């Protein structure tokens, strides 16, 4: 596979465990050797350059701070290795601690900081050496949900402020879609699709991408003339769909409409409803026993209850149709 990052771009590699996303990052960092191909930065082949000479900053899932050093000393460590004098490296360390919002924590040790604070220090340490490329390997997966969301937004803010080219590896779809300029979805060592987040979500180029990103309903339909007939609704099709005949249409939950109906005209019954804040999730069962998930507003969800007869219709949102 070929992966090209533009200057200042943040690319996220996303995929299931074992698909090769971390291996790709480690090859770029020089921590593993590639079986074939080259690593090129600014037109220079650095495939044989050792890790310490590649001018890349790396942040791991484990914070990897030196426990006997303060936050400032941790951030200044890479500068010390590069022979920067004490006054300048301490000044630079303080600047990057301010950048990540930890200026007041400069004299604290790792055990005196939370997980989120430690990861901010690790990020500041990676940035302090002013690398050409920043590599982030599952940097947020060890944090609790609320801190993870806060820190992912901070990483994006800092990345944009510094303007550093960044490769971010994660298995978290929401994380990838929230911060990336482009998302690369990987499968078995290859990039299935790499595009802007909205393109990946709304225009997947394969069944794997469509079903891996977000939630997808698999509904039986018939394809003809660039559209599929599903549950009595006409659904426009994405490029790459089967051209005609019987098909399975991959429909997003937000494209499913659920309306209370008289049992004589209903085509499904509600199984469960879930309140999720700004929206709700409804599971219904079609007469053929197929389970379908719908994402509705909280107001519409509140009007439904388990066992209720409902009519399902599909919005005219482009979907992918694959062979049954």
């Amino acid at each position: 596979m070929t992966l090209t990052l533009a200057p200042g771009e943040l690319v996220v590699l996303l995929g299931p465990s074992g698909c090769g996303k971390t291996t790709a990052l480690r090859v770029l960092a020089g921590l593993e050797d590639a079986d074939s191909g080259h690593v090129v930065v600014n037109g220079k082949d650095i495939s044989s350059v050792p890790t310490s000479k590649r001018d890349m900053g790396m942040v791991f899932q484990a914070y990897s701070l030196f426990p006997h050093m303060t936050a400032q000393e941790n951030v200044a460590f890479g500068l010390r290795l590069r022979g920067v004098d004490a006054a300048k490296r301490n000044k630079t360390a303080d600047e990057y601690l301010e950048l990540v919002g930890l200026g007041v924590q400069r004299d604290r040790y790792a055990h005196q900081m939370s997980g989120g604070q430690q990861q901010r220090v690790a990020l500041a340490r990676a940035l302090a050496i002013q690398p050409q490329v920043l590599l982030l390997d599952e940097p947020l997966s060890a944090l609790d949900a609320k801190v993870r969301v806060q820190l992912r937004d901070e990483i994006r803010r800092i990345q944009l402020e510094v303007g550093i080219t960044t490769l971010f590896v994660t298995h978290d779809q929401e994380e990838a879609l929230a911060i990336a300029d482009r998302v690369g979805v990987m499968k078995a060592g290859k990039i299935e699709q790499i595009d802007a987040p909205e393109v990946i979500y709304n225009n997947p180029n394969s069944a794997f991408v469509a079903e891996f990103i977000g939630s997808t309903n698999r509904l039986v339909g018939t394809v003809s003339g660039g559209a599929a007939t599903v549950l009595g609704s006409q659904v426009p099709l994405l490029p790459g769909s089967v051209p005609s005949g019987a098909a399975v249409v991959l429909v997003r939950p937000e494209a499913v409409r659920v309306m209370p109906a008289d049992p004589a005209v209903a085509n499904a019954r509600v199984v469960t409803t879930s309140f999720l804040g700004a929206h709700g999730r409804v599971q219904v069962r079609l007469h053929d026993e197929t389970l379908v998930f719908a994402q509705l507003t909280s107001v519409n969800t509140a009007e439904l209850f388990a066992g209720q007869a409902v009519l399902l219709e599909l919005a005219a949102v482009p979907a992918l149709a694959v062979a049954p």
Side-chain angles (χ1 to χ4, degrees):
M1 69 179 185
T2 299
L3 174 63
T4 302
L5 279 68
E9 184 180 34
L10 192 158
V11 171
V12 175
L13 291 183
L14 177 68
S17 297
C19 71
K21 55 188 184 293
T22 292
T23 299
L25 185 143
R26 291 176 64 84
V27 167
L28 185 57
L31 298 172
E32 292 188 22
D33 295 325
D35 295 330
S36 61
H38 304 277
V39 177
V40 178
V41 178
N42 284 340
K44 180 181 178 182
D45 188 341
I46 63 168
S47 304
S48 59
V49 175
T51 301
S52 60
K53 302 294 184 181
R54 289 199 176 191
D55 195 18
M56 295 186 183
M58 193 159 185
V59 180
F60 298 93
Q61 176 181 342
Y63 319 128
S64 304
L65 299 183
F66 298 112
H68 62 288
M69 293 183 181
T70 64
Q72 185 201 55
E73 290 168 340
N74 266 282
V75 176
F77 181 75
L79 299 170
R80 191 177 77 184
L81 292 181
R82 287 162 172 76
V84 177
D85 67 77
K88 184 175 181 179
R89 68 176 182 253
N90 289 339
K91 180 176 181 294
T92 300
D94 287 343
E95 289 172 353
Y96 279 95
L97 283 171
E98 288 290 343
L99 182 66
V100 300
L102 288 180
V104 297
Q105 312 282 352
R106 63 191 295 278
D107 294 321
R108 292 197 176 188
Y109 293 90
H111 72 273
Q112 297 173 315
M113 294 183 284
S114 68
Q117 289 172 333
Q118 290 183 59
Q119 197 61 300
R120 287 170 188 261
V121 174
L123 177 61
R125 182 175 61 186
L127 291 169
I129 61 172
Q130 299 183 339
Q132 293 188 79
V133 181
L134 178 64
L135 306 175
L136 302 167
D137 186 13
E138 302 268 10
L140 309 178
S141 59
L143 304 173
D144 65 56
K146 185 174 182 180
V147 175
R148 189 161 64 240
V149 171
Q150 292 173 341
L151 191 48
R152 84 172 184 211
D153 292 341
E154 279 294 286
I155 286 175
R156 181 55 163 161
R157 175 189 67 80
I158 292 164
Q159 185 267 334
L160 288 170
E161 186 172 331
V162 176
I164 189 169
T165 306
T166 302
L167 183 63
F168 189 118
V169 163
T170 184
H171 65 275
D172 187 310
Q173 299 174 27
E174 182 179 324
E175 198 168 277
L177 297 174
I179 67 172
D181 291 308
R182 289 187 296 152
V183 176
V185 180
M186 293 189 66
K187 176 186 178 185
K190 295 182 179 179
I191 295 178
E192 286 275 301
Q193 182 176 356
I194 182 164
D195 268 310
E198 60 272 19
V199 176
I200 286 281
Y201 187 84
N202 294 316
N203 297 278
N205 66 3
S206 70
F208 174 80
V209 175
E211 296 187 279
F212 185 78
I213 299 293
S215 299
T216 304
N217 293 297
R218 296 176 64 90
L219 301 176
V220 175
T222 304
V223 174
S224 177
T229 302
V230 189
L231 297 177
S233 300
Q234 289 290 110
V235 178
L237 296 178
L238 293 170
S241 295
V242 296
S244 62
V248 173
V249 184
L250 307 178
V251 178
R252 297 291 189 192
E254 58 268 29
V256 180
R257 296 169 177 164
V258 183
M259 297 159 288
D262 186 281
V265 297
N267 58 7
R269 285 191 177 274
V270 175
V271 178
T272 62
T273 64
S274 303
F275 174 74
L276 301 175
H279 65 272
R281 185 174 174 87
V282 180
Q283 183 185 46
V284 303
R285 190 186 303 275
L286 299 176
H287 293 333
D288 66 1
E289 299 300 311
T290 300
L291 290 174
V292 179
F293 289 94
Q295 180 175 302
L296 309 176
T297 65
S298 294
V299 172
N300 289 338
T301 302
E303 296 174 349
L304 303 172
F305 55 87
Q308 184 178 15
V310 292
L311 179 66
L312 259 62
E313 293 181 352
L314 303 182
V317 177
L320 189 70
V322 299

